[in-house]
């Protein structure tokens, strides 16, 4: 209970920290010596002084201290350790909460020699009752004595040193030098101790029965009364010896290894015990967990099924892939007797971790269609995993800030300790992709990447989450069409699926700029799209030509803005008066104008013919061809009934070498067979025309065109226009309003200045009293304006051509 719990486990004290108190906090550990001074532990000091701190089993934090650790007190087989733990919410350890814990454990009786293999150090302690006096020492180990004696002899106090036996030499270190090198040394009234970190300089890798060991062969010298005494402080700990066969961990430890048995004979096992987390297990407990402990002549073997009770799984990452490892903290205690030491106790603490095994993560879509919420469960995870941020549409946000993007995250815990994360986001969140499927179905796609961190290793991995929900909520765009006598009009009401759909007429993308070029009207207010196309337009399809009317159709398609797949088609067809395209004159003359339709972009209108291919158009423009002929010519056929006589012909277009027309336009003229017309007339004098002065507003425009055809004006973005001297400039002045056929536009005066101010000087007249300037060497040229598809009222336009010039003062050009 409380923030810490303690256990006495042989010659080790274990303090376990409560996750409830210390989870998600930064920790520091210090050991308080008997005088009250706190010594903060780092990795080097911990391994030198006999302390171990482990972060394992998810949020499990454990502190272990050796009975002969630095700053502990040993009295009558009772050792006491005082630790100070500071916990803070920030890594700089500001404003920490401090926890002080003093614990005592009884340990005894001690064996003459005790060896401990901890996770971060090796330790050997030997009873002083087994010294060798100087006389024997000189006889048996003269080299060691020669190295030790000169240093120890002059001192009156107990000064000691260590001689390390290396394959190439023997190295002697005084206690101060050994301590500086990271070795831990201690002596009590009854024992001598040497503690060696696995990273120490004199640690060797040796092999015994195919198993690798960390080993140190050393002799420790100490001065007691009038004698210099020496003890063997050799120690060895297994490095490997672990195999994985058929989902089973097999741990093998050789017995009586040579490094620990030099000069000894008569080996006899006294005790072999094993367990988990420093708790010894009985044979019955091992059997219930399906553990196997084998004590053979030369080795001890433990077999543990992977996943068995006592171990735990932890999350791991390999090459960015999520997976798990099974970990179990085994320990083995082997006691034996020999003729040199009597009883030796060898305790090995071994954390075994199985190889990485990739795991599949379930992503479950539990979306609530009625509530319009995407609901995704990701997991399950082990408790050592934490969701830290989300990435969507290239933006990465921490979990607490994800709510600003519409994301809610929840962690759910299960009874077995595992957990899962729930991600919720509304269907209408900007990051949820919406796509039209078919009919009334829309697909909502959530594409988010979840980033996780693993405690305490701080490894990270990412889980992409892509889920789709189909919902019957699609509202397709609708349209209504009408004709106003001169235009075909479509008004499209947007739905909720067409935000990225584009309007096309055939393969022509209708944009505001393109519509302006063709004098179409295109308006979009966000809820409606309105398009108005003149009857006489190259994008209108003409299906029937008859004296009673012309059927014209406008076909508009909404296409996907990405794939350009057809999404929705709209068609409006109207009958227009044929007066502008077909005239059936009383004298039997037919005048018909064929318009090039959008489906025939490459059609040359000058090659259009009638049934009789000798009948060619009398007037040709880029988009039209006009035929004038008699009903008795050009292959015209005739049908007669009781009241009318109908003449029919076709406008045809043949591609070179083909006899089948690719363009065919039927038309007909009908005449009454018997018709009497009475006409009354009388002469009447024409009244004299009178002009009355008045006031009003006129709309005028002045445009500069690129060519004499006056078909392509310069756009605003193309100014200023660069021209060279004597290069032609083509101007057009148009009366924009009112649209009254009785009005005619006349140009009186026109002049040029070298600035944008019309009153600035110098000036040069271009048109004077409606005529060209006679003093100009390159005179202004007026161009005739004829009726066309663009020009409905020719009398409202004036066109003239001017050669490029420059103002000159003396011999200097002012401005072109």
């Amino acid at each position: 209970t409380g923030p810490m719990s303690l256990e006495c486990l042989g010659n080790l004290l274990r303090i376990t920290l409560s996750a409830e108190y210390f989870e998600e906090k930064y920790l520091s550990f210090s050991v308080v010596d008997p005088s009250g001074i706190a010594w903060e532990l780092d990795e080097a000091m911990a391994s030198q002084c006999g302390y171990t701190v482990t972060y394992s089993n998810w949020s499990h934090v454990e502190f272990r201290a050796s009975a002969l650790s630095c700053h502990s007190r040993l009295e009558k087989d009772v050792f006491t350790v005082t630790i100070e733990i500071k916990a803070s919410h920030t890594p700089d350890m500001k404003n920490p909460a401090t926890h002080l814990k003093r614990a005592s454990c009884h340990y005894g009786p001690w064996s003459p020699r005790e060896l401990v293999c901890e996770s971060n150090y090796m330790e050997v302690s030997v009873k002083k009752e087994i010294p060798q006096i100087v006389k024997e020492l000189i006889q048996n180990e003269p080299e060691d004595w020669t190295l030790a004696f000169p240093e120890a002899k002059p001192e009156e106090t107990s000064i000691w040193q260590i001689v390390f036996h290396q394959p190439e030499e023997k190295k002697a270190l005084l206690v101060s030098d050994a301590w500086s090198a990271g070795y831990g040394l201690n002596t009590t009234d009854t024992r001598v101790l040497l503690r060696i970190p696995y990273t120490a300089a004199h640690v060797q890798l040796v092999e015994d029965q195919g198993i690798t060991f960390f080993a140190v062969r050393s002799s420790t010298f100490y001065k007691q009364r009038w004698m210099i005494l020496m003890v063997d402080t050799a120690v060895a700990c297994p490095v490997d010896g672990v195999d994985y066969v058929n989902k089973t961990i097999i741990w093998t430890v050789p017995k009586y290894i040579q490094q620990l048995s030099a000069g000894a004979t008569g080996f006899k096992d006294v005790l072999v015990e094993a367990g988990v987390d420093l708790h010894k297990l009985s044979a019955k407990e091992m059997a219930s967990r399906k553990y196997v402990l084998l004590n053979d002549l030369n080795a001890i073997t433990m077999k543990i099924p992977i996943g068995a009770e006592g171990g735990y799984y932890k999350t791991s990452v390999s090459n960015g892939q999520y997976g798990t490892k099974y970990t179990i903290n085994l320990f083995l205690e082997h006691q034996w007797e020999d003729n040199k030491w009597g009883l030796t106790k060898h305790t090995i603490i071994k954390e075994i971790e199985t190889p990485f095994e990739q795991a599949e993560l379930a992503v479950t879509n539990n979306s609530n269609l009625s509530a319009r919420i995407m609901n995704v469960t990701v997991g399950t995870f082990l408790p050592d995993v934490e969701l830290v941020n989300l990435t969507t549409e290239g933006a990465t946000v921490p979990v607490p800030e994800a709510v600003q993007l519409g994301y809610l995250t929840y962690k759910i815990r299960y009874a077995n300790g595992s957990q899962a994360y729930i991600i919720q986001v509304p269907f209408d969140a900007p990051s949820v992709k919406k796509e039209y499927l078919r009919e009334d179905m829309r697909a909502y796609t959530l594409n988010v990447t979840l980033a996780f961190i693993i405690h305490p290793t701080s490894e990270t991995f990412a889980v992409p989450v892509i889920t789709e929900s189909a919902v019957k909520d699609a509202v397709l765009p609708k349209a209504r069409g009408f004709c106003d006598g001169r235009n075909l009009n479509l008004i499209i009401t947007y739905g909720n699926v067409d935000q990225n759909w584009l309007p096309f007429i055939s393969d022509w993308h209708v944009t505001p700029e393109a519509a302006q070029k063709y004098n179409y009207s295109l308006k979009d207010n966000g809820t409606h799209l309105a398009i108005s196309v003149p009857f006489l337009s190259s994008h209108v399809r003409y299906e029937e030509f008859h004296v009673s009317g012309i059927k014209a159709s406008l076909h508009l398609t909404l296409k996907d803005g990405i794939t350009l797949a057809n999404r929705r088609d709209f068609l409006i067809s109207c009958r227009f008066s044929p007066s502008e395209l077909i005239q059936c004159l009383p004298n039997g003359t037919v005048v018909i104008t064929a318009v090039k339709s959008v489906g025939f972009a490459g059609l040359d209108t000058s090659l259009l013919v009638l049934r009789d291919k000798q009948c060619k158009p009398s007037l040709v423009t880029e988009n039209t061809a006009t035929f004038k002929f008699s009903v008795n010519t050009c292959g015209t056929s005739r049908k007669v009934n009781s009241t009318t006589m109908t003449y029919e012909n076709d406008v045809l277009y043949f591609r070179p070498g083909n006899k089948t027309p690719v363009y065919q336009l039927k038309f007909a003229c009908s005449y009454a067979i018997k018709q009497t017309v009475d006409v009354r007339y009388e002469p009447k004098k024409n009244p004299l025309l009178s002009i009355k002065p008045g006031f009003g507003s006129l709309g005028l425009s002045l445009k500069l065109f690129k060519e004499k055809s006056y078909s392509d004006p310069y756009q605003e973005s193309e100014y200023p226009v660069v021209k060279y001297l004597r290069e032609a400039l083509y101007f057009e002045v148009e009366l924009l309003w009112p649209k009254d056929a009785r009005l005619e536009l006349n140009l009186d005066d026109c002049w040029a200045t070298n600035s944008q101010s019309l009153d600035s000087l110098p000036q040069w007249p271009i048109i004077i009293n409606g005529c060209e300037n006679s003093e100009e060497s390159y005179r202004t040229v007026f161009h005739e304006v004829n009726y066309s598809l663009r020009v409905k009222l020719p009398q409202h336009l004036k066109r003239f051509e001017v050669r490029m010039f420059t103002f000159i003062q003396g011999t200097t050009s002012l401005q072109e």
Side-chain angles (χ1 to χ4, degrees), residues 195-369:
R195 187 176 299 110
I196 306 168
Y198 290 115
T199 56
H202 299 94
V203 174
Q204 303 174 53
L205 288 176
V206 300
E207 190 172 295
D208 194 301
Q209 300 181 41
I211 307 299
T212 303
F213 283 80
F214 288 122
V216 172
R217 180 78 173 88
S218 64
S219 300
T220 300
F221 297 85
Y222 63 97
K223 180 180 177 183
Q224 184 169 324
R225 298 176 183 174
W226 60 87
M227 295 183 295
I228 296 295
L229 304 176
M230 183 195 78
V231 291
D232 183 351
T233 48
V235 63
C237 293
V239 176
D240 49 27
V242 179
D243 290 316
Y244 308 96
V245 179
N246 296 328
K247 298 290 184 180
T248 301
I249 300 169
I250 302 175
W251 179 32
T252 302
V253 180
K255 299 194 299 187
Y256 321 127
I257 65 173
Q258 191 273 333
Q259 282 73 18
L260 302 179
S261 307
T265 58
F267 298 103
K268 177 183 178 183
D269 280 346
V270 175
L271 181 68
V272 174
E273 291 184 309
V276 176
D277 291 328
L278 297 177
H279 289 287
K280 297 178 181 179
L281 296 178
S282 66
K284 183 177 180 181
E285 289 172 319
M286 286 193 180
S288 67
R289 299 183 182 194
K290 298 184 179 179
Y291 294 3
V292 175
L293 178 63
L294 301 175
N295 183 13
D296 297 328
L297 179 63
N298 296 315
I300 301 168
T301 302
M302 286 191 72
K303 296 182 179 181
I304 311 292
I306 295 177
E309 179 186 354
Y312 63 93
Y313 282 97
K314 64 181 181 182
T315 307
S316 185
V317 177
S318 177
N319 297 323
Q321 296 297 314
Y322 165 82
T324 60
K325 294 180 179 179
Y326 175 75
T327 300
I328 187 166
N329 293 308
L330 299 176
F331 91 97
L332 176 68
E333 183 178 300
H334 179 207
Q335 297 185 30
W336 73 88
E337 291 180 340
D338 57 47
N339 67 339
K340 179 179 179 181
W341 292 99
L343 183 64
T344 295
K345 180 179 178 182
H346 195 186
T347 302
I348 303 172
I349 300 171
K350 183 74 170 178
E351 180 182 77
I352 295 177
E353 183 179 273
T354 61
F356 173 85
E357 185 172 346
Q358 186 173 341
E360 295 296 328
L361 277 174
V363 177
T364 307
N365 186 355
N366 300 311
S367 295
N368 188 331
L369 303 186

Side-chain angles (χ1 to χ4, degrees), residues 400-448:
E401 298 177 16
V403 67
Q404 299 175 10
L405 300 179
Y407 287 81
L408 296 178
T409 61
Y410 304 94
K411 180 164 65 175
I412 54 176
R413 298 182 184 273
Y414 299 107
N416 64 356
S418 62
Q419 60 185 6
Y421 284 91
I422 295 176
I423 312 298
Q424 291 184 348
V425 59
F427 280 169
D428 299 320
S431 59
V432 176
K433 180 183 176 183
K434 305 159 189 69
E435 184 179 11
Y436 173 63
L437 292 178
R438 60 191 177 277
E439 299 175 351
D440 59 349
M441 300 292 291
R442 274 201 299 178
Y444 291 82
T445 303
L446 174 65
N447 189 342
V448 61

Side-chain angles (χ1 to χ4, degrees), residues 780-797:
T780 302
V781 178
F782 292 96
H783 294 292
E784 184 180 358
V785 182
N786 295 315
Y787 175 86
S788 68
L789 293 177
R790 187 172 77 84
V791 180
K792 308 301 182 185
L793 298 171
Q795 65 270 32
H796 285 191
L797 283 86

Side-chain angles (χ1 to χ4, degrees), residues 480 482 487-492 503-505 508 510-511 515 520-524 528-533 554 556 572:
R480 65 182 182 90
F482 63 93
N487 300 285
L488 294 93
N489 301 278
L490 269 175
I491 299 178
I492 299 172
F504 278 79
I505 299 176
W508 177 64
V510 186
T511 63
Y520 297 171
S521 173
L522 183 69
K523 297 178 181 178
D524 189 340
H528 295 79
L529 174 69
I531 182 169
S532 179
V533 177
L554 177 66
L556 185 139
I572 178 174

Side-chain angles (χ1 to χ4, degrees), residues 430-720:
S431 59
V432 176
K433 180 183 176 183
K434 305 159 189 69
E435 184 179 11
Y436 173 63
L437 292 178
R438 60 191 177 277
E439 299 175 351
D440 59 349
M441 300 292 291
R442 274 201 299 178
Y444 291 82
T445 303
L446 174 65
N447 189 342
V448 61
T449 300
L450 309 180
F452 296 87
I453 190 170
I454 303 170
H455 298 294
T457 62
S458 296
E459 291 180 286
T460 60
F461 65 94
V463 178
V465 175
I466 303 176
T467 61
E468 181 179 293
S469 297
V471 184
K472 290 185 177 182
D473 66 349
V475 178
L476 295 174
K478 298 179 181 179
R480 65 182 182 90
F482 63 93
C483 298
D484 57 11
R486 300 195 58 83
N487 300 285
L488 294 93
N489 301 278
L490 269 175
I491 299 178
I492 299 172
T493 302
Y494 287 130
N496 61 7
V497 298
D498 46 19
Q499 292 83 357
N500 297 316
W501 293 2
L502 304 176
F504 278 79
I505 299 176
S506 294
D507 291 326
W508 177 64
H509 179 201
V510 186
T511 63
E513 296 77 17
Q516 183 180 11
K517 178 180 178 181
Y518 287 94
N519 290 322
Y520 297 171
S521 173
L522 183 69
K523 297 178 181 178
D524 189 340
N525 64 1
T527 60
H528 295 79
L529 174 69
I531 182 169
S532 179
V533 177
F535 160 63
L536 294 177
S537 165
S538 61
H539 292 95
V540 173
R541 295 182 183 274
Y542 305 98
E543 301 174 12
E544 296 178 10
F545 277 62
H546 198 275
V547 70
S548 62
I550 300 172
K551 184 179 179 182
S553 299
L554 177 66
H555 184 191
L556 185 139
T557 301
L558 293 180
K559 295 188 176 186
D560 188 285
I562 299 175
T563 65
L564 295 182
N566 288 359
R567 293 301 191 186
R568 195 79 166 154
D569 293 304
F570 302 105
L571 177 67
I572 178 174
S573 298
C574 298
R575 281 198 174 274
F576 289 88
S577 169
S579 58
E580 295 193 40
L581 293 183
I582 183 169
Q583 298 179 57
C584 300
L585 302 179
N587 63 358
T589 299
V590 177
V591 181
I592 181 169
T593 300
V595 182
K596 181 169 67 175
S597 182
V598 70
F600 300 91
L603 185 147
D604 184 353
T605 54
S606 66
L607 299 181
L608 290 169
V609 295
L610 298 179
R611 289 178 182 173
D612 183 347
K613 296 181 181 179
Q614 300 302 316
C615 294
K616 302 181 183 300
S618 57
L619 178 64
V620 173
T621 68
E622 181 181 355
N623 293 314
T624 64
T626 301
F627 295 85
K628 185 177 181 179
F629 61 98
S630 171
V631 294
N632 296 318
T633 60
C634 296
T636 307
S637 60
R638 182 177 63 181
K639 293 181 180 179
V640 180
N641 60 26
S642 58
T643 58
T644 59
M645 183 177 296
T646 301
Y647 294 89
E648 296 179 342
N649 208 324
D650 300 290
V651 179
L652 306 169
Y653 181 78
F654 297 88
R655 295 197 186 279
N658 289 345
K659 295 183 178 180
T660 302
V662 295
Y663 175 96
Q664 184 174 17
L665 180 65
K666 291 184 176 293
F667 63 92
C669 284
S670 297
Y671 295 90
I673 293 177
K674 295 180 180 181
Q675 183 177 18
T676 302
V677 178
D678 294 328
V679 180
R680 277 186 76 181
Y681 68 95
E682 61 182 13
K684 185 175 182 179
K685 295 181 179 179
N686 290 331
L688 295 175
L689 294 175
S690 62
I691 301 175
K692 296 180 181 181
F695 297 92
S697 62
L698 300 177
L700 295 170
S701 73
L702 173 64
K703 295 180 180 178
L704 177 61
F705 283 77
K706 298 177 180 179
E707 297 176 342
K708 190 176 181 179
S709 63
Y710 287 89
S711 60
D712 189 9
Y714 284 100
Q715 303 299 320
E716 184 176 349
S717 61
E718 296 179 90
Y719 286 95

